[in-house]
Amino acid sequence: MTRGMELLIQANEVREKGDFLKALQLDDEATLELQKEGNLGKMAEAQAQRYLCFSLLYGKTDEKAYLMLAKNAAVSAVEIAESCGDKTVLAIPYFNLAKSYMSLGQYSQAVGAFEKALDNLTTNPPESHNRAGVMADFKIHLAEAEYLAGDKTAIDRLTKGISDLDASDEKEVSTYNYHVWKSGAFMSAAKLLKEDKPELAKEYLQKAKGIIDSNPE
């Protein structure tokens, strides 16, 4: 394993522990090492990890400046990924960029980025994400963005995505991912329907709660 990859893994580990300053420092160190190693695809991943750090810092502090930093990191990840010539590294950077647009309330831009993420996941799948459960999660996020951008029929595609997630082998691959993605989908559906169909929204919220309560992680 190269030094750049070691630093990238360390950055991910300390971010998961909540040490965002150390994670950002390690991401920057990894970026420099990965450039020396000529690994632009992983340089894009380092920027994606910075996006995650800033997104988590926003959640912790409610400081909107972190959303702007997160968006810039996500844009950088996409631009570096596009420049590296390896199309298999594009899906995740576009997915993160779409989530950044969602956080900023830029739903039309989010739809476009989610569509690019889904297209690349379909045609140029990254090896570590090439499975039906990930595809279902991408479709769920795209449907939520489409609904918020004004297409109310997208709720049907969101619930279809939940069915696709259930039909996948994601629960065997990662029970944690399966529970997080499914409960998140139910919470999204509840939020979208709280005004138009409040009783159905409550049902979805209870389903999300049941999943969350069943998994202490």
Side-chain angles (χ1 to χ4, degrees):
M1 184 183 296
T2 68
R3 177 60 178 157
M5 283 303 301
E6 288 176 356
L7 289 165
L8 202 58
I9 291 169
Q10 290 172 24
N12 183 65
E13 290 173 347
V14 298
R15 186 190 70 249
E16 290 296 311
K17 294 177 181 177
D19 190 345
F20 303 121
L21 175 58
K22 183 63 175 177
L24 289 167
Q25 291 170 337
L26 287 167
D27 281 326
D28 283 343
E29 289 182 45
T31 297
L32 297 181
E33 289 295 325
L34 290 164
Q35 185 277 324
K36 292 176 186 177
E37 295 161 12
N39 196 339
L40 291 181
K42 289 300 180 181
M43 279 184 71
E45 186 174 326
Q47 290 302 306
Q49 290 197 172
R50 288 176 61 81
Y51 155 78
L52 291 172
C53 276
F54 290 131
S55 295
L56 290 168
L57 280 165
Y58 168 70
K60 186 176 182 180
T61 66
D62 205 32
E63 172 54 67
K64 290 187 177 180
Y66 283 128
L67 289 181
M68 300 171 198
L69 289 167
K71 178 183 175 181
N72 287 333
V75 169
S76 295
V78 167
E79 291 176 343
I80 294 170
E82 287 280 11
S83 75
C84 79
D86 180 1
K87 292 185 179 298
T88 67
V89 303
L90 291 172
I92 301 304
Y94 271 113
F95 186 67
N96 287 335
L97 179 58
K99 289 193 293 182
S100 178
Y101 284 137
M102 290 287 282
S103 298
L104 291 165
Q106 298 172 350
Y107 303 124
S108 295
Q109 293 94 321
V111 169
F114 276 132
E115 287 176 339
K116 288 185 178 180
L118 185 58
D119 179 60
N120 279 287
L121 185 66
T122 303
T123 58
N124 310 296
E127 184 178 352
S128 60
H129 294 83
N130 187 15
R131 58 188 192 273
V134 178
M135 182 75 69
D137 184 54
F138 274 41
K139 288 179 179 178
I140 289 166
H141 279 82
L142 171 57
E144 180 184 7
E146 289 172 330
Y147 190 100
L148 289 168
D151 182 1
K152 296 296 183 72
T153 67
I155 193 65
D156 296 328
R157 296 189 290 280
L158 192 155
T159 55
K160 174 62 165 57
I162 297 174
S163 298
D164 290 347
L165 181 59
D166 282 335
S168 76
D169 63 350
E170 193 63 37
K171 194 171 184 179
E172 287 70 44
V173 174
S174 172
T175 302
Y176 176 77
N177 281 349
Y178 173 74
H179 283 157
V180 169
W181 295 347
K182 188 173 181 180
S183 61
F186 279 134
M187 285 191 289
S188 294
K191 182 173 73 172
L192 297 176
L193 296 173
K194 66 179 181 180
E195 299 295 335
D196 295 338
K197 297 182 179 180
E199 291 305 315
L200 183 56
K202 288 179 183 177
E203 288 182 25
Y204 285 137
L205 201 59
Q206 284 302 311
K207 288 181 179 181
K209 184 177 185 301
I211 294 169
I212 294 167
D213 291 345
S214 73
N215 189 335
E217 291 186 273

